[in-house]
Amino acid sequence: MNLLRGIILTTKKELNDYFGSPLVYILTGLFNAIIGWLFFNYLVGAKNLTLLNLSHSVLIPLFGNINFLFLFLVPLLSMKLFSEEKKFKTLDLLFLSHLSQTQIIFSKFLAGLLISLFILSWTIVFPIILGFSGYNDWGLVFSSYLGLVFSIITYLWVGLFCSSLTENPIISALTTFCFLLGMMLMVLTVNATHIEILNTFFQYLSSPFHYESFSRGSIKSYNLVYICSFSLFFYFLTSKSLESRRW
Amino acid sequence: MENAIEVNNLTKEFAQIKAVSNMTFSVKKGSIHGFLGPNGSGKSTTMNLICGLLVPNSGEILIGGKKIETDFDQLKRSIGFLPEDPPLYKNMLVEEYIKFVAGIRGVPNSKVKKRVETILAQCGLEKVKRRRIGNLSLGYTQKVGVAQALVHDPDVVLLDEPTRGLDPEAVDEMRKLIKELKGERTLLLSSHLLNEVQNLCSEITIIKEGQVIQNGSLSEIRSLFQQQRMFKAEVRKFNEEIYQAFRLRFGKVVNLNFEKKKEEKSEEYSLNLKMPKTDDLRSEVCNFLVDKKCGLLSFSEESIGVEEIFRLATAEVNVKENSLKESLL
Ligand SMILES: Nc1ncnc2c1ncn2[C@@H]1O[C@H](COP(=O)(O)OP(=O)(O)OP(=O)(O)O)[C@@H](O)[C@H]1O
Ligand SMILES: [Mg+2]
C-alpha cells in the first residue's frame, strides 16, 4: 500500500492516543515549569548581561538541562508504543494489515518524535524573551535545538526498542531510563581515565558527547554518522525483537 | 474442488508443550469449515499458524497454493482473521476503529466511508458506532472483532469462536452473516457451540491434543459414527399387544421402544426405532403400523448431532490411548 498513507494513518492514531491521555499535558506542564524556573535562576545569576555572557551562563546551561530532562521524559513517552499493543494483542492487527514492519516501526517512531517536539516547542519562548532585550546569536540557538532533536532521536530509538521487549509499560520505561542514564554516566567515567583510545571510543558511543558538539555550535560529520548508525542499529534490534514473537 | 487452505504435517512446540503435532488437513475453496476440539487442543494456535502470525517448527501451510511463510506479504491481504482476543483499541470509537482498520488494510480512500457503513450495518453495530470500544459489552466487542476481520473483503476468513459471548438472537444474526459471506469466500471457524457448526458447516475437522482425529464432510463423518439409523414415529394408539406383535414380526433387527406422550390432551405415543444401516425396513415398519391401525401421525429419520460425534470422536482417542497404556504396562 501507499507508503505514506500507512504511516500517516498509524501516526495519527498514535497522536490521538497521546493527546487523549493526561500524561502528555502533565509532562508538558511540569517540564516547562522546571525550565522556566531554571531560566529565571540563570538570568538572575548572570552578573552582567552581555551577549557572550547570555549565551554562556544562560542559554547553554539551559539547553543542557533540557537535554537532561528529556532523559526522563522520553522513557515515559515511548513506554506504551509497543508494550501496550502487545498487551492488548493489537500488534497482530498491524502485522496482518498492508503495513510493512518498517512502516509500523517508523510510524511509532514518528509519533514519539512529534510528541517530543510538541513538548520541546514551548521552550522557544525563552530565547525569544532574550531576543527582545537585544540577544541575537541565533546560530547558537538553532544548533542547540538541532542537538536537542538529535538527542531525542537517539533516546527514542532506545525507548522504542525497550518497549518492544515487554508487555509492561513500566518495565519498558525503567529499562529505557537505565540504558540512557548508563550512557550518560559512561562519559563521566571514561573522562576520568587517561587511556586515550578507550576515552575516544566510549565518548563516541555515548550520545551526550555528540550533543556537546552541537551545543558548542561545531557539528562534525562523525556526529551525523553516529546518529544514523545509532538509529539503524536500534531499528534493526526493534525489528528483530518484533519478529521474535512469532517463534 | 481446489483447496483454499492446506495444512501439511504441521508441528508447533511451545516451551514445554506440543500445541500442534503433525497436523494435516485441508479446507475446500468456498466452503464453511468447522474446526472443533476440546479446550487447549490447539485450535487457536493452528489458526495463528495459518495466518502466519506464528512460525511452525515444521510442516507447511498453503493458502491458495502459496506458502504463507514465503508469501506472507502478499497472502495477508486476502486473509481476514478474528483471533481469540479480538485486537481492539479500547479508547477508539467503534466507527473510528473500523475506519482505521479499513485504512491500514488497504481499502482505497474513496471507498472507505461506504465500506465502513456497510460493514457496520452487516454486523449490527450501527447502534453503538459512536461508543468507545472499551465501554462495550462482551457481545458487542465480539461483533466489532468480526467487523474488523471482514472490512477489507478477504477471500479467506478465519474466525476463532465468533459466537463467544453472543445472545441467541445475536447468534442467529451471526449465522445469517456467515451464510451471506459464503460464496466465493472460504471460512474456517472454530466454535464451542456445536449446534452452530452443525447448522453452518459442510465440513468439519475435529482435533484433540494437537492431532486431527476426524476430517471430512459432515455427512461422511456422521455416517461413520452412525452404526444404526434412528427413526422417530408418532402414533395415536399403541400398547403392549402391538409391541409383542412387532417383536414377533421384526425380531431383534429393529429395536423399538414406545412411550406415552404426557403433555398431549388426546392419546399419543412416540416410538423410537433403531434399525441397521444395511437393510432398509422403513416401508415394512410403516406398513406394519398402518395394518395395526395405530394411526400413524409422523415418521422421520433422526440424524446424530455434531455433539454426539464430537463426544464419540474424542472418547475414541481416549480409549485407544488407554488400551495403549495398558498394553505397555
Ligand atoms: N504462547 C504460548 N506459550 C506457551 N504455551 C502456549 C502458548 N499458546 C498456547 N499454548 C498452549 O498450547 C496449547 C493449545 O492452546 P490453544 O490456545 O491453541 O488451544 P485452543 O484449542 O484454542 O483452546 P480453547 O478452546 O480453550 O480456546 C495449550 O496447552 C496452551 O497452553
Ligand atoms: Mg482457542
Side-chain angles (χ1 to χ4, degrees):
Chain A
M1 123 197 238
N2 193 323
L3 196 79
L4 269 181
R5 188 184 166 213
I7 292 188
I8 290 173
L9 267 170
T10 26
T11 309
K12 218 166 96 186
K13 182 217 120 215
E14 289 306 325
L15 289 179
N16 278 342
D17 258 9
Y18 273 128
F19 286 115
S21 84
L23 183 73
V24 168
Y25 303 104
I26 294 173
L27 288 183
T28 314
L30 209 64
F31 171 75
N32 283 295
I34 295 174
I35 295 300
W37 181 76
L38 284 174
F39 177 69
F40 174 73
N41 271 358
Y42 285 135
L43 216 51
V44 172
K47 293 208 180 66
N48 46 350
L49 299 175
T50 60
L51 181 65
L52 195 72
N53 218 352
L54 276 182
S55 294
H56 277 269
S57 58
V58 179
L59 280 185
I60 289 182
L62 192 72
F63 283 126
N65 278 305
I66 293 177
N67 188 23
F68 185 65
L69 280 181
F70 265 99
L71 205 74
F72 296 89
L73 289 186
V74 169
L76 293 177
L77 292 172
S78 68
M79 64 181 181
K80 280 199 201 165
L81 285 172
F82 279 116
S83 59
E84 204 110 285
E85 302 248 9
K86 284 177 90 162
K87 193 158 133 198
F88 296 114
K89 322 259 158 151
T90 44
L91 210 50
D92 290 346
L93 179 73
L94 299 182
F95 279 141
L96 277 181
S97 74
H98 286 204
L99 299 165
S100 65
Q101 187 160 294
T102 317
Q103 274 174 307
I104 297 171
I105 296 176
F106 269 97
S107 51
K108 296 265 172 194
F109 173 76
L110 195 63
L113 186 63
L114 288 177
I115 209 78
S116 309
L117 291 184
F118 167 77
I119 296 180
L120 182 66
S121 66
W122 300 93
T123 61
I124 194 79
V125 289
F126 302 117
I128 287 177
I129 290 174
L130 292 186
F132 281 124
S133 49
Y135 180 81
N136 62 3
D137 190 358
W138 298 112
L140 178 104
V141 173
F142 179 74
S143 77
S144 292
Y145 271 111
L146 209 61
L148 283 175
V149 173
F150 274 37
S151 262
I152 289 172
I153 288 177
T154 54
Y155 296 172
L156 256 180
W157 276 117
V158 176
L160 211 58
F161 169 60
C162 293
S163 180
S164 73
L165 290 177
T166 165
E167 288 186 5
N168 186 332
I170 307 285
I171 290 178
S172 148
L174 279 178
T175 38
T176 314
F177 178 69
C178 290
F179 189 97
L180 292 178
L181 199 69
M183 209 157 65
M184 185 154 254
L185 294 181
M186 199 160 68
V187 191
L188 298 180
T189 328
V190 160
N191 277 347
T193 69
H194 295 289
I195 308 162
E196 191 68 28
I197 294 185
L198 213 65
N199 218 329
T200 342
F201 179 69
F202 278 106
Q203 266 184 349
Y204 178 78
L205 280 187
S206 69
S207 108
F209 167 73
H210 296 271
Y211 169 73
E212 272 167 32
S213 18
F214 280 97
S215 73
R216 281 199 312 271
S218 58
I219 305 164
K220 304 275 185 345
S221 58
Y222 63 75
N223 296 139
L224 302 179
V225 172
Y226 174 78
I227 290 287
C228 293
S229 46
F230 191 95
S231 304
L232 260 174
F233 180 63
F234 274 91
Y235 161 73
F236 176 76
L237 288 185
T238 312
S239 70
K240 283 290 158 223
S241 142
L242 288 181
E243 263 166 34
S244 76
R245 46 173 266 124
R246 300 172 62 210
W247 292 90
Chain B
M1 221 188 310
E2 57 184 311
N3 289 329
I5 304 174
E6 250 176 82
V7 174
N8 291 328
N9 301 322
L10 194 68
T11 300
K12 175 74 186 173
E13 282 169 42
F14 290 113
Q16 287 109 18
I17 349 158
K18 237 181 184 175
V20 175
S21 59
N22 210 14
M23 189 183 279
T24 302
F25 71 95
S26 58
V27 178
K28 285 197 186 117
K29 199 167 176 219
S31 68
I32 302 181
H33 197 104
F35 200 46
L36 307 174
N39 289 129
S41 55
K43 299 183 297 289
S44 305
T45 309
T46 312
M47 288 207 161
N48 277 311
L49 285 164
I50 292 174
C51 288
L53 293 173
L54 286 175
V55 177
N57 292 65
S58 66
E60 59 170 14
I61 295 158
L62 304 175
I63 294 184
K66 285 191 185 129
K67 268 180 105 162
I68 185 88
E69 263 179 86
T70 46
D71 288 309
F72 178 66
D73 283 332
Q74 192 202 339
L75 287 176
K76 68 181 182 179
R77 287 157 197 251
S78 56
I79 298 177
F81 182 38
L82 168 73
E84 196 158 43
D85 310 289
L88 305 173
Y89 292 110
K90 304 249 181 314
N91 48 11
M92 275 186 168
L93 307 182
V94 173
E95 195 179 19
E96 187 189 3
Y97 170 74
I98 298 295
K99 218 181 230 167
F100 172 71
V101 178
I104 60 171
R105 301 228 59 168
V107 178
N109 254 335
S110 52
K111 288 186 191 148
V112 167
K113 197 160 171 263
K114 188 121 187 284
R115 187 70 201 140
V116 170
E117 269 168 25
T118 336
I119 207 80
L120 285 176
Q122 241 180 355
C123 299
L125 287 168
E126 269 168 332
K127 241 182 13 198
V128 297
K129 67 180 182 184
R130 302 228 175 276
R131 300 259 307 265
R132 246 172 50 98
I133 292 179
N135 297 341
L136 293 179
S137 65
L138 176 64
Y140 274 109
T141 341
Q142 193 69 11
K143 286 186 193 176
V144 178
V146 174
Q148 161 275 126
L150 301 176
V151 71
H152 58 297
D153 201 8
D155 295 331
V156 177
V157 183
L158 295 108
L159 305 173
D160 202 347
E161 294 175 39
T163 48
R164 187 174 67 156
L166 298 185
D167 61 36
E169 204 173 316
V171 169
D172 251 11
E173 278 168 29
M174 185 67 68
R175 186 184 306 155
K176 242 175 60 195
L177 175 66
I178 290 174
K179 276 198 173 144
E180 274 170 30
L181 286 176
K182 213 195 145 182
E184 285 299 281
R185 285 186 207 82
T186 310
L187 280 102
L188 177 65
L189 53 112
S190 85
S191 180
H192 284 304
L193 295 177
L194 299 164
N195 267 331
E196 271 314 296
V197 173
Q198 176 153 266
N199 288 328
L200 283 170
C201 303
S202 46
E203 267 129 75
I204 58 173
T205 298
I206 301 178
I207 64 167
K208 190 178 181 189
E209 283 159 20
Q211 282 167 316
V212 177
I213 48 181
Q214 285 300 330
N215 177 37
S217 78
L218 191 54
S219 48
E220 256 174 51
I221 293 180
R222 187 173 272 153
S223 66
L224 198 69
F225 281 96
Q226 202 166 12
Q227 257 69 28
Q228 291 177 311
R229 296 176 79 175
M230 288 188 291
F231 297 90
K232 207 179 175 91
E234 286 171 316
V235 288
R236 267 276 133 74
K237 198 183 91 187
F238 208 81
N239 51 34
E240 199 57 33
E241 205 177 309
I242 303 176
Y243 179 66
Q244 292 306 338
F246 189 89
R247 288 290 297 273
L248 226 71
R249 166 81 174 75
F250 293 102
K252 284 211 158 64
V253 184
V254 181
N255 188 325
L256 168 90
N257 47 53
F258 70 100
E259 192 178 10
K260 191 176 175 185
K261 278 197 189 177
K262 290 201 179 77
E263 67 271 27
E264 303 289 333
K265 272 186 213 122
S266 56
E267 210 169 311
E268 236 177 69
Y269 296 85
S270 75
L271 311 179
N272 288 314
L273 299 132
K274 281 186 193 152
M275 54 180 95
K277 270 200 295 192
T278 39
D279 42 354
D280 190 359
L281 291 168
R282 278 176 296 176
S283 57
E284 282 83 350
V285 171
C286 286
N287 282 340
F288 172 85
L289 291 173
V290 172
D291 284 347
K292 292 281 173 201
K293 301 215 166 43
C294 292
L296 186 58
L297 298 169
S298 74
F299 188 84
S300 59
E301 179 157 11
E302 302 251 286
S303 54
I304 69 167
V306 177
E307 209 136 340
E308 189 76 358
I309 294 178
F310 184 73
R311 221 169 40 75
L312 289 169
T314 49
E316 204 169 67
V317 174
N318 279 339
V319 170
K320 266 187 215 152
E321 266 169 13
N322 287 343
S323 58
L324 193 73
K325 270 182 206 149
E326 272 162 26
S327 66
L328 283 176
L329 281 174

